[in-house]
Amino acid sequence: MADDFSRSIARVVVAQIAEGTGFDTCQESAVDILADLLLRYLSTVCASSHSFAEQAGRSQANLADTLLSLEELGVTADDLQSHIQLQQGTDVPFAHTLAPYPVHTQRPLPPTFRDQKEDHPAHIPDFLQAFPDPHTYQQTAAFTGHEADAHKQRQVSLGATQRFNATVIHCYTAFQCSGRSVLRRV
């Protein structure tokens, strides 16, 4: 959800920049590519700023960290100053107010014993989350080929161990026959 929101805002920003620089029309694919580049650039700047803040022993980045990260990407403070002076008075605000970022959505709460009117063990309060459906945890194979019988599980495990040991011995003898040493003395 937050990615869709970021992408839609980036598309509007790219379209407004294109309009401000004199473009009348723009293809959808060009707007999508430029929006993607904008988001990647911003994430790079933010990650670098965060890294500079952590190196300085702070948990949040400040303006100095952002300027350092921009300089790392080849943008100097003079470049920023000249860009601000060129763009003075040409700002185009968004047509609508933006929702707060990041977008938070409410996940549905899992049902409780009380909600489901379900019997529960006496030592578990009814306001806690109910147990999942029994089919999700009873007689469910842990992996494909998992055996329910403990003896059969042990036989499968021993077979896998024996196959592994045979492979290791085969590799060891192949290295010995080729004249290469597997183990080196230090």
Side-chain angles (χ1 to χ4, degrees):
M1 174 96 178
D3 288 340
D4 294 339
F5 184 73
S6 300
R7 188 163 308 285
S8 64
I9 295 297
R11 285 175 49 86
V12 171
V13 168
V14 165
Q16 286 183 341
I17 289 172
E19 184 182 13
T21 55
F23 286 92
D24 294 333
T25 60
C26 203
Q27 288 185 350
E28 289 286 323
S29 60
V31 171
D32 288 337
I33 290 170
L34 290 173
D36 188 45
L37 287 173
L38 176 65
L39 290 174
R40 288 183 188 190
Y41 188 78
L42 285 175
S43 66
T44 302
V45 169
C46 292
S48 180
S49 298
H50 181 73
S51 176
F52 281 120
E54 282 185 342
Q55 288 175 358
R58 289 179 268 114
S59 61
Q60 292 186 348
N62 59 20
L63 180 62
D65 299 322
T66 306
L67 289 175
L68 283 172
S69 65
L70 286 172
E71 284 182 15
E72 187 176 60
L73 293 172
V75 178
T76 64
D78 295 333
D79 293 338
L80 287 174
Q81 187 69 28
S82 63
H83 177 73
I84 290 170
Q85 288 174 352
L86 285 173
Q87 296 299 320
Q88 198 116 25
T90 60
D91 290 342
V92 179
F94 283 109
H96 305 284
T97 58
L98 297 177
Y101 189 81
V103 178
H104 295 288
T105 57
Q106 289 287 347
R107 289 187 297 167
L109 294 174
T112 62
F113 287 111
R114 186 182 305 147
D115 295 339
Q116 292 185 342
K117 296 180 177 69
E118 184 177 298
D119 291 335
H120 56 87
H123 64 281
I124 299 177
D126 64 346
F127 62 85
L128 289 179
Q129 178 180 346
F131 296 131
D133 294 330
H135 75 276
T136 61
Y137 59 87
Q138 290 178 347
Q139 301 297 326
T140 303
F143 53 88
T144 305
H146 182 77
E147 299 292 337
D149 183 21
H151 181 68
K152 187 78 168 175
Q153 284 180 359
R154 179 77 176 139
Q155 293 298 330
V156 170
S157 177
L158 284 175
T161 303
Q162 289 172 351
R163 286 191 302 275
F164 174 75
N165 289 340
T167 305
V168 170
I169 291 170
H170 176 72
C171 289
Y172 181 75
T173 54
F175 276 114
Q176 291 298 324
C177 292
S178 67
R180 290 188 249 165
S181 176
V182 177
L183 302 174
R184 296 184 184 163
R185 294 178 193 241
V186 184

